[in-house]
Amino acid sequence: VVDEVDEGVVAMLAAMGFGENGCRRACLAAGNNVEAASEWIFAHMEDPDFNDPPTVMHATAEAEAALFTGSSEKAMEVGRSP
């Protein structure tokens, strides 16, 4: 998990047809790694908040794990929105 997105990675993902906010959220969750961000997108693209603007917060390891498993409830317990 990172605090800032790599605009180049966002552009690559957006070029695949995904919404920019979803791409930004994926970059934040996946540490700006294109492959990991793509996996995050496919795991979360049906989430109702997928294209909501990302919220940048420092995540604990538990929150990071919750993001990748799609556990919104667990992520909220540790103070981070998925």
Side-chain angles (χ1 to χ4, degrees):
V1 177
V2 295
D3 288 343
E4 293 184 27
V5 298
D6 179 324
E7 293 298 332
V9 176
V10 171
M12 282 190 271
L13 295 169
M16 294 180 201
F18 302 111
E20 191 171 311
N21 282 332
C23 295
R24 289 178 181 283
R25 293 181 68 198
C27 285
L28 290 170
N32 288 314
N33 177 286
V34 175
E35 186 175 322
S38 296
E39 290 175 13
W40 189 95
I41 287 171
F42 288 115
H44 295 276
M45 60 194 234
E46 298 299 323
D47 292 355
D49 61 348
F50 177 76
N51 277 312
D52 288 355
T55 323
V56 179
M57 296 176 68
H58 293 96
T60 63
E62 188 174 7
E64 183 176 345
L67 288 170
F68 281 102
T69 61
S71 174
S72 299
E73 294 79 16
K74 189 66 172 175
M76 295 301 275
E77 287 175 16
V78 294
R80 180 175 179 156
S81 298

